[in-house]
Amino acid sequence: MAYSTTTVALQVVGLLLVLTAAAASATTGSAAHVNTSCVTGSAGATVSIGYGGARASAGAGVSLGSGVYQATCPRAEEIVRAAVERAVAADPRMAASLLRLHFHDCFVNGCDGSVLLDDKPPFFVGEKTAVPNANSLRGFEVIDTIKAELERECPETVSCADLLAIAARDSVVVSGGPSWEVEAGRKDSRTASLQGANTNLPAPTSGVATLVQKFRNVGLSAKDMVALSGAHTIGKARCTSFSARLSGARVSAGAVGASKDLTFLQSLQQLCSGSAGSALAHLDLATPATFDNQYYINLLSGDGLLPSDQALAASPAGAVPGTDDDDVASLVAAYAFDASVFLQDFAESMLRMGRLAPGGGDDGEVRVNCRVVNSSS
């Protein structure tokens, strides 16, 4: 797939004067100013992550912090990192799959490991069979393997929810993206919500307004939404997820169906024809295995794969400067301009998402097997 750098440059330059102040505000205005642990991603960005103090409140009595397992399971992160590296070496797509597991976990009743629970019909139906998850989420066996190794090293110590958070970070790092110090201390829930998974998770046909509202519903901002959407710089999607792009149809309000790049659209049509929607396409055709800012460059060229991706680059007619619709398109261009800005904001948004905590007063547990609640519960 050939990309026209001239086309992208012209599109971006046209927005530069409008975006200079917005980009500066995005990179400095919301950054925390506490712990400055600096790490470097292969895209050339050094990211400085603030942790908001020694420990950060995630609500519902959950207190997160860095170095939680240094005394109780000092090799925990080493074990997770090595296992993620092995899994991604065997299946490069696994990096995106593990990252997605953490996202789908946190958006349903907080980051509590609920997405990992197996159904036990008719007594219990969890989140795995929800529409956004069924025959889509993967990597459960990798989590099982890591958890078993952690249990041998330090029994009943590292929660499945923390395991997902650490594995997500390591999946980004192994793909060449930024690192950050994962805040830990989560507990695993004893239940899950099929309805929550069906309701809370954004769909691939969502428009900007819907995407912003889904993130706001869990306490995250429009900026978090744009930054975390950059996870689509790695991974694949089935043809059924982007069929609206192939037909050129407009989907939910604010989404964009037609591509400016007919060659891109034709390549997708050829891939999907005769596959009954089961064929897989790279979310980023240019650098599919590298965690970088190419995703946003693609959007400016009209080459976003999912309708919900391409919607981010379009400022709706009548958008007012300073509103979410206007800011979303501005952030897309800012991230396309400067990889370091994206990598910094992505890491910070991952930390904020990782603080989403379950309500209801359930203190949770540390599951021995991530698929089932402990027998004594």
Side-chain angles (χ1 to χ4, degrees):
M1 175 68 198
Y3 285 78
S4 171
T5 56
T6 301
T7 299
V8 174
L10 289 174
Q11 292 168 330
V12 174
V13 167
L15 291 170
L16 178 56
L17 293 177
V18 177
L19 296 174
T20 300
S25 174
T27 56
T28 61
S30 62
H33 300 288
V34 186
N35 184 330
T36 54
S37 293
C38 293
V39 288
T40 303
S42 67
T46 299
V47 293
S48 177
I49 306 300
Y51 293 100
R55 298 186 72 80
S57 173
V62 176
S63 181
L64 303 179
S66 58
V68 169
Y69 297 117
Q70 285 180 355
T72 57
C73 193
R75 293 187 60 247
E77 293 202 29
E78 176 187 338
I79 289 169
V80 177
R81 181 176 63 252
V84 168
E85 289 173 349
R86 290 194 301 269
V88 174
D91 175 9
R93 186 183 166 205
M94 190 55 66
S97 298
L98 295 175
L99 178 56
R100 189 165 177 246
L101 274 178
H102 181 46
F103 178 91
H104 280 228
D105 181 38
C106 292
F107 260 64
V108 183
N109 294 336
C111 309
D112 61 357
S114 59
V115 73
L116 301 174
L117 289 171
D118 282 342
D119 290 354
K120 298 287 184 181
F123 306 105
F124 171 76
V125 178
E127 298 165 20
K128 287 183 175 178
T129 51
V131 173
N133 296 338
N135 302 313
S136 176
L137 284 187
R138 58 198 297 270
F140 297 109
E141 294 79 8
V142 174
I143 297 299
D144 291 340
T145 299
I146 301 173
K147 179 59 173 173
E149 190 170 350
L150 288 171
E151 286 299 307
R152 289 192 294 271
E153 178 79 11
C154 38
E156 300 179 51
T157 302
V158 182
S159 70
C160 299
D162 279 349
L163 167 51
L164 285 179
I166 298 168
R169 186 272 313 275
D170 291 343
S171 295
V172 171
V173 173
V174 78
S175 303
S179 184
W180 58 93
E181 193 170 353
V182 174
E183 296 171 340
R186 302 167 187 82
K187 297 297 183 183
D188 299 321
S189 69
R190 298 182 177 90
T191 187
S193 176
L194 177 67
Q195 180 181 1
N198 281 325
T199 302
N200 297 356
L201 291 163
T205 55
S206 297
V208 171
T210 300
L211 292 169
V212 169
Q213 190 58 54
K214 294 278 188 182
F215 276 71
R216 280 184 173 164
N217 288 345
V218 298
L220 297 174
S221 68
K223 180 179 178 181
D224 290 321
M225 182 272 290
V226 180
L228 292 173
S229 294
H232 287 176
T233 189
I234 57 174
K236 296 182 179 182
R238 295 187 187 280
C239 291
T240 50
S241 299
F242 54 87
S243 57
R245 294 280 281 143
L246 300 184
S247 65
R250 292 184 66 85
V251 287
S252 56
V256 176
S259 175
K260 304 172 188 176
D261 188 339
L262 291 179
T263 302
F264 170 72
L265 191 60
Q266 289 166 357
S267 69
L268 294 179
Q269 289 172 330
Q270 182 176 8
L271 172 71
C272 296
S273 62
S275 72
S278 62
L280 293 165
H282 290 293
L283 288 161
D284 170 8
L285 290 178
T287 56
T290 303
F291 199 97
D292 56 19
N293 69 330
Q294 182 65 45
Y295 164 82
Y296 300 100
I297 297 172
N298 296 344
L299 299 187
L300 293 181
S301 297
D303 293 341
L305 183 67
L306 303 180
S308 58
D309 289 333
Q310 193 56 53
L312 303 183
S315 290
V320 179
T323 62
D324 287 332
D325 286 344
D326 178 73
D327 289 346
V328 164
S330 297
L331 280 167
V332 167
Y335 293 160
F337 260 123
D338 192 338
S340 66
V341 175
F342 160 56
L343 297 177
Q344 170 88 23
D345 285 357
F346 178 83
E348 292 181 353
S349 291
M350 285 293 289
L351 281 168
R352 279 190 288 274
M353 185 181 75
R355 294 174 187 146
L356 300 180
D362 185 355
D363 292 335
E365 64 182 9
V366 174
R367 287 187 222 132
V368 175
N369 180 341
C370 291
R371 293 176 179 264
V372 297
V373 299
N374 295 337
S375 59
S376 58
S377 299

